[in-house]
Amino acid sequence: MRELVTAALQMGPIQKADSRADVVARMIALLEQAHQAKATFAVFPELALTTFFPRWYMEDQPEVDQWFEAQMPGPDTAPLFERARELKIAISFGYAELTAEGQHFNTSILTNREGEIIGKYRKIHLPGHSEFDSERAFQHLEKRYFLPGDLGFPVWHNLGGIMGMLICNDRRWPEAYRVMGLQGVEMVTLGFNTPSVNSQMGDEGPQDRLFHHRLSCQSGAYQNSTWVVAVAKAGIEDGHPMIGGSLIIDPNGKIVAETTTEADEMIIHACDLDACNFGKTTIFDFKRHRRTEHYKLITERTGAKPPAA
Ligand code: CDT
């Protein structure tokens, strides 16, 4: 048994006017709750430090850059790292990263229990669009503000297991889990900000959005025999609702914990990383069963192309 007591720390809405200091104080309060419940690993959402700013169309680069962190930890986030180090809780959270070279990424980091950053992932599947789209009920401008991640899908030894990260829309792409599955991943963390309504199809509301979210995360877990810890930023940000439904999913694809609110809320589970072994050595023993000679199109072709009639 390799038990990792893991807390998914869902965050309620962050309004445009909320300061980083206010948000970090909320994150520390959640971390204290996780510590009380004996967690040694705590996972926060995508873009945990700010409102989901890609819903706002901006043309002025300094205005855009105010949502980004040029340093991690920086002056605003240092207290979070400090408290995590004192409590000996490893953490993972998402933020908008501005590099020294001026590149912008939607990023997530992973620390050890000493508060040192040991892993970084930059979101690869950026959803949405790059120009103002008057056809949509609201904007989703991730392709405007971020570059696609350039670090691949790495995994890291941490906390006695093998860990990887995805960010939000990545969870809908089976290739993302599989690349980590092929490196033996045992726990995938992912933060998300998912609007409660499809901006291009008003009939698709929160129940459908939650259904697709669970479907994507549960199948990723099952098909790679890994734990998945999916954590929302939820609730209404400046009039824009987002789903909750933070999940801890076991390597069989079953949900073992799920949030019930759209506010700051903790769910926790003692995840036995050895529970990954059965699937990895039987039905999803990749070495024995995968037929890579038939998978070439996966990397050779991006868009679907039906055969000639
Ligand atoms: N943050 C993020 O990736 N959200 C997307 C919304 C997709 S609709 C443009 C998601 O997959 O939940």
Side-chain angles (χ1 to χ4, degrees), residues 12-121:
I14 300 175
Q15 310 306 335
K16 259 180 144 175
D18 293 348
S19 71
R20 301 279 209 287
D22 288 344
V23 174
V24 166
R26 277 168 60 187
M27 293 171 83
I28 291 174
L30 282 162
L31 206 58
E32 305 279 354
Q33 217 185 314
H35 174 67
Q36 291 287 314
K38 305 218 177 327
T40 52
F41 185 36
V43 185
F44 294 97
E46 173 192 34
L47 299 177
L49 303 171
T50 65
T51 194
F52 188 74
F53 65 86
R55 71 169 67 87
W56 304 112
Y57 179 76
M58 294 172 272
E59 290 182 331
D60 178 43
Q61 197 57 43
E63 186 189 350
V64 174
D65 285 353
Q66 69 174 337
W67 301 108
F68 283 75
E69 315 300 316
Q71 256 180 292
M72 190 53 66
D76 294 316
T77 43
L80 175 66
F81 282 76
E82 185 59 31
R83 196 66 189 123
R85 195 174 302 125
E86 286 164 3
L87 299 175
K88 288 203 74 101
I89 302 188
I91 58 174
S92 178
F93 68 89
Y95 65 99
E97 178 191 9
L98 177 56
T99 70
E101 297 74 37
Q103 293 179 304
H104 299 73
F105 295 103
N106 186 341
T107 296
S108 188
I109 46 113
L110 175 66
T111 77
N112 58 19
R113 292 181 71 187
E114 283 67 52
E116 298 157 341
I117 297 176
I118 60 132
K120 178 183 276 190
Y121 169 70

Side-chain angles (χ1 to χ4, degrees), residues 37 44 47 65 101 129 159 162 175 227 241 262 264 279 286 306-307:
F44 294 97
L47 299 177
D65 285 353
E101 297 74 37
H129 48 112
L159 303 164
I162 302 176
E175 300 89 340
W227 290 89
E262 293 179 351
D264 289 5
F286 295 154

Side-chain angles (χ1 to χ4, degrees), residues 46 52 123 127-128 140 142 168-169 171-172 193-195 209:
E46 173 192 34
F52 188 74
K123 185 175 184 177
H140 195 110
E142 287 196 59
C168 195
N169 188 261
R171 71 199 189 287
R172 307 185 194 277
N193 287 257
T194 297
R209 303 292 262 185

